[in-house]
Structures are given as structure tokens and as C-alpha cells.
Amino acid sequence: MSSQPTTTSSAAPRGRRRIKPPFWLVSILIILVIASWIPLAVIARARVSKSPLPRIQLIQDMDRQPVYKTQQTSPVFSDGRAMRMPIAGTVGRGDLRGSDNYVMGYTLDDKGQPQWAVDFPQEITVDDALLQRGRQRYDIYCLPCHGADGIGDGPVNQRAVELRGSWIPAANLVDAAIRERPAGHLFNTISRGIRSMPPYGEQLPHLRDRWAIVAYVRALQVSHDAPINLLPAKLKQRAQADQARQKTGN
Amino acid sequence: MAETPPTAPASLDAQPNRFIFPRWANLLLPFIIVMAVGGGLYATLIVGLGFSPQATDVGYMPEQPVPYSHELHAGKLGIDCRYCHTTVEDAAFAASPPTQTCMNCHTNVNVANPGNIQKIKESWNTGMPVQWVKVHDLPDYVFFNHSAHVNKGVGCATCHGQVDQMPTVYQAKELSMSWCLTCHREPEKFLRPRDQVTNMKWSAKDHPMFADQPDIAESVAQLELGKKLKVEYQVRDTQYMQSCSTCHR
């Protein structure tokens, strides 16, 4: 390095001299840095928030193809359904396969009066698998109103009774009157409803499932006054302890 | 270094510095390098975060024609998912319930704001369906099947989130190809007993299998149970689960 003065004003050694960038360059830089946070903030918001705006589709590909999928709408039909409803009175193939008792829960006698199936039809064998299935289906479709043990205290029923209005409380399924109903009558109640109870045939399309529920309802009815010596050993002990406690008065 | 005297050609003397780069121009090179590297990182960040399905798809919560609430019906009233979505166990498509299903109760339930169920009653009287807006929607070139999953012990909550806490349904998971594949490669991390698929509060460590290990970690319990269920339900091998034609057929 030479010690000779240069033409510029600064006298400091060259390596240490500070170069001052012009104001406009500095401003652009600052604006850029600040602006770069805006897209980040927008993205952060998009990642955590919910929005009714349609999803962003960056690449269309063949995402939406001109076909109707299940339950879509179509402008072709006046009701807007792309799926057509079966014509009233249509019977699906296989829907009537089985004895009358199995399909409807009754047979018609000479005078056209229903004769309820007293017991389960020949297509059904009541075994543990059927009862387990029945329990599961019951818990889905009946429990909301009739309650887990059938006495009619389901959560929906309780809430609806609280709200009053025209709600009719769900029946107690372990009641003497319902115990005496023939199996076919219970089946028909599930399929077609009764008085203010809605039909469940649509939601339970498999006939076997309806019979499984009938079997489970029967099991509930038995369980409500099962004699204590029919219980398995562990439950028996508990029940006896309960009884003893009740006798002593607490 | 030999010094040259600071003499300049005569022509430049007239307008000094006119054609000489200003001194700050020396900063441009490092500046450009920093911008190129930083800009590259920045662009990667924007594309990675912004174009991911987490940003573009998750959280889609369309407005529905009826203010129907899963939080109320599935959560507070405890109605099972299959009461309304009846087809999940039998079909590829999880059907939205017909108006009849709502009317099972709403013919008689005395709700606080009858205006909110007006559309349901209208639909019941006229036979015109309620037009629910679809929330989860895969591209049409992807094949998806609910029954294949539900019957092998994949819970609704794994793919739809805590629906029982949603007043309005929104998309909680990405539903992207990589998301599907994380499970298809290691289903044991997600499987649960078949009878618990609609249970929104299920956790592996409450399974009776771990009754004698009260403080087992959830992930450990899940893995152990998942491995057992994978064998029991005969879940197919990884090769089949991640072959393209399983989902693109």
C-alpha cells in the first residue's frame, strides 16, 4: 500500500474504508426484506385457519372428470339427483329371497290377515355370533332412543323429553307388553316402524341384521329378571353382594 | 506493486467520474450472491410450505345449506356415525343420510330454533333432496374405498379427525398421495379393533391387552396392538398396498 494521498477525501487506509451504498439501494433492500414476510404470513395463515373458500388447485390434471359420481347433482333431472330413485313398488333382486316369515315377519292367512311369526324363522339360527351382531346393530340404531339396556332412557330420548314439544318417549322394551309380542312383530316394528316410531328398514338393509336385533332385544328382556343362579360365577358374586347391601339398607 | 501516478486521459478530466463505476458498485457482487442464495432458499420455503396440501386443502370448511352439527349429534347426543352414514361398512362411498334419517327424530323433536331445520322439513314435504356440499374430495383418478378400510380396523378419526367436535365439518387431514402411503407402508401404526372404528375417543393403551401396564406409552401400545391386528385381519403385504394400481385403477 502506498502512503500517497489519493484523490478522494478519505485518508483512512483502503482496506478499512466504509463504502456507503446509495439511499435508493438501501430502501429497496429494506422493502424487499419486509415484503418477503407477507407471503410467509399468508401461507402460515392458510396452514392453520379454516376457510369456506374452495380448495386451491394448482395443477388441474384430470382431477374433475365429466362423470357423475355417487350422490352428485345433475341439471338434467328436475329434482337435481344424478342417481335415480327406484320406481315406487320396485322389489330389488334378492330382496324377497327366503320364507315370508324371514322377509316380512308374518304370513298372510286365507282372509288376508297377518299371522305373526311367533319364533325366529328357519333361516336364522340364534347363536353367540348373531347376538353379538345384534348388540352392535342395536347400539347403533336403537340405543339413541331406547337406551343401552332397553328401558327407554337413551341420550336422544332424554334430551328430546327435556325439550318437550310433541316428542313421544321411546317405549320400554323390557316391558311385559313388549315381551309378549311375537318375534315377527318386533321384526316388523324395525322394518316398518310403529305409531310414532320411525321405520328402520332403510338403514338396516340386511334382513339378518334386523333378526339379530330381535334376538338381542329378547336377550335384554331375559337379562332384566334373570334368576341369580343363571349368572356366571363372577357376576353372581357381585349381584349377591349388591343384594346383601340393599337388604342392610344402604 | 508498482504505483501508477493518478493521471487520467484529458477527455475524462472534463467530466470526472462520468464513466467510472461508483465505489459502492463493489458491493453488487456479494449482494447478488446473497440474493441468489437467499432467494433460492426463500423460493423453496414458499413452494414447500405454500404449495403443500396442508396449506391448499386442509381446513376447507364449506358452508352447508343446513347448520347441522356433528358436535351436537355425534358428540353430545352420542349417535354412532353409522346411524347416518349407513353405507361405510358395505360400500366404497360413505353416503350422506337421506332426509328420512333426519326426520326419524325431527318430526317430533322440539328444537330451540325451528328456522334451522326449516330446509329439512321443506325437503321432506317436497321430495327435493338437501344439497350438502362435499367436503372431502379426492381427484377422480384416485380409487378410494371406505369398506376396505373400515372392515380392516382403520378408524374414522384417523382420516377425518375429531368429527365429534366439529360444529361444521372441515377437512382435517391432507388426503394427499404421500399421506395415504405413510399408512399403507406401516398400517400397524394406525390399526384398531374393528368394533372401535367409529369411537372418536379410542386410544390403544386403554385396550384390555394392556390392562396390567397402566403407564405404557401410547405409541408403544399402538405398535404392539397394531402388529397383532395386522396379522389377525390379514392386512395385505406392503408390495400390494403401495402398488400404483391399488389406488389408480
Side-chain angles (χ1 to χ4, degrees):
Chain A
M1 282 287 142
S2 94
S3 57
Q4 239 179 359
T6 52
T7 45
T8 48
S9 55
S10 169
R14 233 208 218 174
R16 307 257 320 271
R17 199 181 302 136
R18 287 195 48 206
I19 309 170
K20 213 168 158 227
F23 178 70
W24 60 266
L25 190 69
V26 176
S27 343
I28 287 179
L29 208 72
I30 291 174
I31 289 172
L32 264 181
V33 167
I34 294 174
S36 73
W37 284 92
I38 296 173
L40 284 177
V42 170
I43 288 170
R45 195 170 158 276
R47 288 175 74 91
V48 297
S49 66
K50 304 186 184 62
S51 155
L53 300 177
R55 273 174 287 242
I56 303 158
Q57 274 195 298
L58 298 162
I59 303 161
Q60 292 290 325
D61 289 339
M62 286 169 74
D63 282 8
R64 302 289 160 253
Q65 298 165 18
V67 290
Y68 286 127
K69 302 216 285 183
T70 320
Q71 287 194 333
Q72 273 186 350
T73 56
S74 159
V76 176
F77 299 103
S78 63
D79 62 359
R81 289 183 178 97
M83 290 163 75
R84 305 314 301 153
M85 305 286 280
I87 292 161
T90 314
V91 177
R93 251 184 101 173
D95 277 7
L96 293 183
R97 205 162 285 160
S99 65
D100 278 4
N101 276 343
Y102 177 65
V103 174
M104 306 189 292
Y106 59 84
T107 48
L108 291 178
D109 64 8
D110 307 338
K111 295 189 211 83
Q113 290 301 311
Q115 294 294 318
W116 298 110
V118 179
D119 214 341
F120 291 89
Q122 77 243 18
E123 284 86 347
I124 295 289
T125 16
V126 181
D127 53 11
D128 189 48
L130 188 81
L131 284 171
Q132 291 299 344
R133 178 76 180 167
R135 176 195 199 136
Q136 196 210 30
R137 296 290 110 175
Y138 177 93
D139 286 354
I140 299 170
Y141 298 103
C142 316
L143 182 146
C145 293
H146 290 288
D149 55 359
I151 61 168
D153 64 347
V156 170
N157 187 62
Q158 282 180 357
R159 179 68 188 143
V161 168
E162 253 169 59
L163 292 167
R164 299 221 186 75
S166 57
W167 179 264
I168 286 134
N172 178 350
L173 299 184
V174 299
D175 206 44
I178 314 293
R179 276 167 199 247
E180 274 153 32
R181 298 257 193 269
H185 190 279
L186 293 180
F187 177 87
N188 191 59
T189 303
I190 299 174
S191 312
R192 319 246 298 253
I194 190 167
R195 299 187 298 276
S196 58
M197 173 174 148
Y200 278 82
E202 210 71 47
Q203 277 154 282
L204 287 159
H206 306 302
L207 299 179
R208 201 184 129 80
D209 283 350
R210 297 183 212 165
W211 283 110
I213 293 179
V214 173
Y216 184 64
V217 169
R218 283 280 187 255
L220 284 178
Q221 291 171 346
V222 171
S223 76
H224 267 264
D225 54 11
I228 206 159
N229 48 9
L230 277 186
L231 295 181
K234 227 173 161 184
L235 286 176
K236 198 164 150 184
Q237 271 176 9
R238 242 174 67 189
Q240 276 166 343
D242 273 357
Q243 269 186 347
R245 231 181 312 124
Q246 267 167 11
K247 272 201 194 111
T248 56
N250 54 47
Chain B
M1 216 165 101
E3 286 299 319
T4 39
T7 49
S11 57
L12 273 181
D13 273 340
Q15 276 188 326
N17 293 344
R18 174 76 204 275
F19 294 107
I20 296 177
F21 281 115
R23 189 166 281 282
W24 59 262
N26 288 347
L27 290 174
L28 280 179
L29 187 62
F31 177 72
I32 287 168
I33 291 172
V34 168
M35 283 308 269
V37 174
L41 285 176
Y42 182 74
T44 317
L45 198 68
I46 292 283
V47 171
L49 292 176
F51 289 33
S52 84
Q54 179 69 32
T56 56
D57 291 15
V58 174
Y60 174 51
M61 185 170 73
E63 214 170 290
Q64 301 289 350
V66 176
Y68 165 78
S69 161
H70 279 82
E71 190 191 28
L72 173 66
H73 290 84
K76 225 171 101 216
L77 296 174
I79 308 175
D80 192 284
C81 313
R82 289 164 290 186
Y83 183 96
C84 292
H85 303 293
T86 49
T87 62
V88 274
E89 288 171 320
D90 300 330
F93 189 79
S96 283
T99 306
Q100 153 87 60
T101 307
C102 308
M103 291 309 279
N104 282 351
C105 297
H106 283 286
T107 28
N108 287 323
V109 171
N110 184 22
V111 294
N113 310 308
N116 285 349
I117 54 163
Q118 191 55 40
K119 282 232 176 82
I120 294 289
K121 299 226 152 144
E122 261 166 39
S123 155
W124 184 237
N125 293 332
T126 58
M128 298 289 279
V130 178
Q131 297 197 359
W132 303 106
V133 183
K134 199 161 180 349
V135 185
H136 302 79
D137 204 357
L138 291 175
D140 289 355
Y141 52 76
V142 181
F143 175 85
F144 181 76
N145 188 329
H146 271 93
S147 66
H149 292 91
V150 173
N151 293 330
K152 296 256 167 149
V154 186
C156 311
T158 310
C159 301
H160 292 299
Q162 295 296 319
V163 177
D164 63 329
Q165 294 166 16
M166 298 180 187
T168 310
V169 185
Y170 58 85
Q171 182 172 335
K173 300 289 158 90
E174 296 174 10
L175 306 190
S176 64
M177 180 161 146
S178 71
W179 176 82
C180 304
L181 285 173
T182 30
C183 177
H184 275 214
R185 289 191 179 123
E186 292 173 310
E188 60 271 15
K189 287 194 178 155
F190 303 92
L191 295 184
R192 52 172 81 186
R194 232 179 245 147
D195 55 357
Q196 299 295 329
V197 286
T198 57
N199 185 346
M200 293 280 127
K201 298 188 183 70
W202 184 84
S203 80
K205 61 177 195 279
D206 299 337
H207 191 267
M209 201 169 122
F210 307 109
D212 50 344
Q213 294 157 272
D215 41 33
I216 188 169
E218 174 69 18
S219 55
V220 179
Q222 172 64 61
L223 208 61
E224 199 175 319
L225 179 65
K227 282 197 178 127
K228 188 173 142 273
L229 292 177
K230 195 175 157 185
V231 177
E232 193 181 321
Y233 296 161
Q234 300 175 343
V235 173
R236 282 187 246 218
D237 59 320
T238 321
Q239 155 130 49
Y240 180 86
M241 295 285 277
Q242 51 179 333
S243 102
C244 314
S245 57
T246 299
C247 306
H248 304 291
R249 20 182 124 179

